[in-house]
Amino acid sequence: MPLAAEPDDTHEEGEDQQLLLAKKGEPTLEGLVVGSYCHDVLIRGGRVVGETLGGAAAFVSNVLDAASPREAEQGEAPFVVVSKVGRDFAYASAPAPARRPPLLCASPTTSFHAQFSDAAASAHAPDRELRRVHACDPIYPADLPDRRFAYGLAVGVAGEVLPETLERMIRLCRAVLVDAQALIRAFDGDGAVGHVALEDTPYARLLPRVAFLKASSEEAPYVGVETARRRCCVIVTDGRDGCRLYWDGGEARVAPFPAVQVDPTGAGDSFLAGFAAGLLWGLSATDAALLGNFFGAAAVSQVGVPTFHPKMLQAVKEILEEKIAKRSSPCINGTTFTFDRSSVHDELHAALQEAARLIPEQQQADPTNGNCGDICSV
Ligand SMILES: Nc1ncnc2c1ncn2[C@@H]1O[C@H](COP(=O)(O)OP(=O)(O)O)[C@@H](O)[C@H]1O
Ligand SMILES: O=P([O-])([O-])O[C@@H]1[C@@H](O)[C@H](O)[C@@H](O)[C@H](O)[C@@H]1O
């Protein structure tokens, strides 16, 4: 694994201007994912019921690889992951880190204990209590590659995306999508995860330069949706109820897909990546959120980072190829977005609902799922 760089942001604004020119041969829809892989320990009733690869970067990579449109039929989806782990990292050979290796640091890999309680079985109780047990080094601006990207996803889980790192992402990427959990998490002396008001953080001033900010319903009060929506489009996810989008001048509810939830971990991450993939396919934000809901539902159906059934992915691809023939233009590649539900929204939902029937097939096919038992059945 490559060694992490020293914290030194020597890049100047002028230098970034040079990067505006895409080099010949570079993929035009290349993405930049920033956030660290981590170790997740899943605990129920005081007993460890699962130990898995975690970190939004892992869930996001998994969905982007599965759902992004390909410029060529062959090869990996074009995106880079900037992530940090320690020498204790246990999942270097798992698909996501093996494809896009993290930077190696002297500090231990970020690790979370997720405590599931029976209260999580009720509709709107928080799914889990999280405790950060170890924190790897932050990701510094100098850790980011020196080139332009079509889009960026800021998906820290433990405060590793520093304000200056987000600012550099904004300079490098045409459109940046941010998970609020990267900005508003606070950790007490015991590592318990709490939240601070976004407005009180140094990230707040960057919001007007962010395209989309995603928050869970638990995080939404700390984001301040009414203020934030005047600066960027805010998406509030609400578990099995789907999500809502809020932009300056409009809002939309986007219906969920049915799922048998066995582990809620990674739902929000998978949502954000599905949403980004939807934008890459050229969907409006409200239509792209259908793809977010689809992959959020697929994530909760398995323990840890899900393995998608090839038949399901093929079905999704065929649906997108068919419906997207009616699209306007790829939104993520420009500076303006369309937000409204399109005329194909309901057709797209119905077709994806058919594909969602194939979600449980992977659970049966993959013997590694099911051994952990249900983490959080609802
Ligand atoms: N039980 C569920 N059934 C169907 N879809 C779900 C379920 N839980 C989550 N999702 C999907 O995943 C998205 C993100 O889930 P949510 O629980 O809101 O995020 P987080 O993991 O950040 O708490 C939801 O908006 C929804 O589309
Ligand atoms: O479940 P979710 O909110 O989408 O995202 C999760 C984070 O909140 C958590 O800190 C991390 O340990 C998980 O691996 C996952 O990334």
Side-chain angles (χ1 to χ4, degrees), residues 186-208:
F187 306 90
D188 73 10
D190 205 29
V193 176
H195 300 105
V196 294
L198 178 58
E199 209 48 37
D200 298 339
T201 71
Y203 299 102
R205 69 177 179 83
L206 298 172
L207 275 199

Side-chain angles (χ1 to χ4, degrees), residues 127 214 216 237-240 242-243 257 259 261 264 267-268 271 293 296-297 300:
D127 278 318
K214 184 222 76 126
S216 67
T237 63
D238 197 8
R240 75 185 81 166
C243 68
F257 295 90
Q261 178 171 305
F271 171 93
N293 282 349
V300 302

Side-chain angles (χ1 to χ4, degrees), residues 89-236:
F89 185 51
Y91 301 100
S93 56
R99 280 200 195 113
R100 299 177 182 85
L103 299 167
L104 194 57
C105 300
S107 52
T109 300
T110 299
S111 157
F112 280 93
H113 284 185
Q115 184 85 50
F116 296 93
S117 68
D118 291 333
S122 81
H124 293 287
D127 278 318
R128 64 201 164 178
E129 280 174 24
L130 287 177
R131 194 160 70 82
R132 186 183 69 178
V133 182
H134 295 295
C136 199
D137 290 1
I139 298 171
Y140 299 105
D143 292 315
L144 307 186
D146 271 336
R147 60 176 193 275
R148 290 282 297 172
F149 294 89
Y151 70 100
L153 291 171
V155 290
V157 287
E160 71 270 32
V161 181
L162 302 173
E164 54 271 34
T165 306
L166 178 59
E167 187 160 14
R168 178 144 171 86
M169 283 184 75
I170 291 168
R171 282 193 253 134
L172 295 180
C173 305
R174 268 180 295 233
V176 173
L177 292 78
V178 180
D179 192 327
Q181 77 186 1
L183 316 183
I184 60 167
R185 280 190 170 175
F187 306 90
D188 73 10
D190 205 29
V193 176
H195 300 105
V196 294
L198 178 58
E199 209 48 37
D200 298 339
T201 71
Y203 299 102
R205 69 177 179 83
L206 298 172
L207 275 199
R209 295 159 68 199
V210 161
F212 296 94
L213 176 67
K214 184 222 76 126
S216 67
S217 53
E218 200 187 338
E219 292 158 346
Y222 299 90
V223 160
V225 175
E226 284 312 311
T227 310
R229 73 189 292 185
R230 293 201 292 271
R231 302 177 185 160
C232 64
C233 176
V234 182
I235 307 165
V236 179

